[in-house]
Amino acid sequence: METTKCLIIGSGPAGYTAAIYLSRAGISSVLYSGIQPGGQLTQTTTIENYPGFPQGVEGFDLMENMRQQAVNVGAEVRNGIITDIDLSKRPFVATVDGTSTISADAVIIATGASAKYLGLADEQKYAGMGVSACATCDGFFYRKKVVAVVGGGDTACEEAYYLSNLAKKVYMIVRKPYLRASAAMQQRVNEKENIEILYNTNTVGLFGEQFVEGAHLVQFKGTDKEQMLDIDIDGFFLAIGHKPNTDFLKGQVALDEQGYIALGGITTETSVKGVFAAGDVADPHYRQAIVAAGSGCRAALDAKSYLDAL
């Protein structure tokens, strides 16, 4: 069985940053990039809010630069998915792609979270061409334009309110006849003149030549009041939640009520000593590349302190 000092599960800003810091500290590490090498940012176009890039940077390029930097300082970066892991024994033992195994004295989990989608084929067709799951990341590109936000919870209201300060008009597409958000968030969106809430409404498709130009909606679906409605929009934002990528852990570390890895105290250590978490897999709130990178640095420093004490 292969061994390493620290196993990093997942790429993206958190995983790559952890690999960079560990390698520079002289600690051998192996990073498995997971199902989507580079993480969600590889599906993003120009990023304009990551420090150090005054002209912006393509998401794929930023992740490729981080990967190459990790490799340059000595990290072992591999394609592959950790399909199973046993955190009950020391060293920890992980299974790669359901076949080979690798053991490690410490583990950093940086598997991220996946945005929930409606399941429409058009969401994939227009990915990066008007469809987004992050208003903070992409809202800047829709200044003075018309956008739609799907969802009725706090996240949807926050995204809609954020976008309303950039876009000309914001539609909120809400499946239920009411908002599920807190009273304070409901008040904010209801008082914003350029936000229009479409209740009892489902999205059934998107249209446009190359980029999103509109959405096909159905109101009062399955009732005698059912009717079709098309709206003209430039951007379509999903705000129906994220799912942390923790299924492979099979309950071996403590999770919060949403399934995110729970961290105790001020460090990145999980409920299992020697196992650390970084990035969106442990962050249901911020979900930003710069925050993930910072947490990757913290996890690497925490892992080093742990390993030094063994």
Side-chain angles (χ1 to χ4, degrees):
M1 180 190 301
E2 184 181 6
T3 62
T4 185
K5 278 292 185 182
C6 186
L7 172 66
I8 303 170
I9 307 175
S11 44
Y16 288 146
T17 301
I20 291 167
Y21 271 77
L22 285 173
S23 293
R24 294 190 75 252
I27 297 173
S28 66
S29 65
V30 175
L31 180 153
Y32 280 95
S33 57
I35 195 168
Q36 187 177 35
Q40 294 184 75
L41 282 186
T42 59
Q43 304 300 309
T44 302
T45 52
T46 305
I47 299 170
E48 295 189 330
N49 59 358
Y50 199 92
F53 297 91
Q55 306 305 319
V57 59
E58 295 297 303
F60 180 87
D61 293 340
L62 178 61
M63 290 301 92
E64 178 58 23
N65 287 342
M66 286 191 184
R67 186 199 69 80
Q68 190 59 56
Q69 186 173 357
V71 171
N72 288 351
V73 295
E76 183 77 26
V77 177
R78 303 175 181 172
N79 290 326
I81 301 170
I82 300 299
T83 50
D84 191 28
I85 190 166
D86 186 350
L87 301 178
S88 66
K89 63 174 90 171
R90 312 298 172 107
F92 308 113
V93 178
T95 303
V96 184
D97 294 326
T99 55
S100 61
T101 55
I102 183 171
S103 69
D105 294 319
V107 173
I108 294 176
I109 302 169
T111 48
S114 301
K116 294 179 181 178
Y117 286 81
L118 298 174
L120 305 173
D122 289 336
E123 290 172 314
Q124 296 303 315
K125 177 181 177 181
Y126 295 105
M129 301 294 180
V131 172
S132 172
C134 181
T136 310
C137 308
D138 300 326
F140 185 77
F141 302 108
Y142 296 92
R143 288 169 297 173
K144 307 302 180 184
K145 295 185 178 181
V146 180
V147 300
V149 175
V150 179
D154 279 319
T155 297
C157 287
E158 289 172 2
E159 302 265 279
Y161 188 82
Y162 175 83
L163 289 166
S164 72
N165 294 315
L166 298 168
K168 179 171 62 176
K169 182 179 179 66
V170 178
Y171 290 102
M172 285 191 69
I173 302 172
V174 183
R175 180 170 53 89
K176 296 181 180 294
Y178 55 85
L179 294 173
R180 294 179 292 104
S182 63
M185 286 306 307
Q186 290 189 45
Q187 182 177 351
R188 290 178 75 182
V189 297
N190 281 318
E191 290 178 351
K192 207 68 191 293
E193 291 184 357
N194 63 335
I195 296 178
E196 180 179 347
I197 305 174
L198 303 174
Y199 292 107
N200 299 294
T201 303
N202 289 272
T203 306
V204 294
L206 302 170
F207 60 88
E209 287 295 324
Q210 182 179 359
F211 298 90
V212 169
E213 296 176 14
H216 299 301
L217 311 176
V218 58
Q219 295 184 304
F220 301 100
K221 186 177 181 180
T223 73
D224 55 4
K225 294 193 293 183
E226 181 175 314
Q227 63 176 358
M228 300 299 297
L229 171 69
D230 284 355
I231 57 173
D232 294 327
I233 56 174
D234 303 292
F236 185 77
F237 289 83
L238 281 303
I240 54 177
H242 285 71
K243 182 182 183 301
N245 300 320
T246 53
D247 289 348
F248 74 102
L249 295 170
K250 297 178 180 176
Q252 296 185 85
V253 299
L255 307 176
D256 69 12
E257 58 187 17
Q258 296 174 276
Y260 290 86
I261 295 176
L263 302 179
I266 62 172
T267 74
T268 61
E269 191 167 54
T270 69
S271 59
V272 178
K273 193 170 182 62
V275 179
F276 307 88
D280 287 6
V281 73
D283 176 16
H285 183 65
Y286 295 104
R287 298 196 300 270
Q288 297 296 304
I290 187 65
V291 177
S295 69
C297 166
R298 293 176 59 218
L301 296 176
D302 290 339
K304 180 182 183 303
S305 296
Y306 169 79
L307 291 167
D308 287 345
L310 290 180

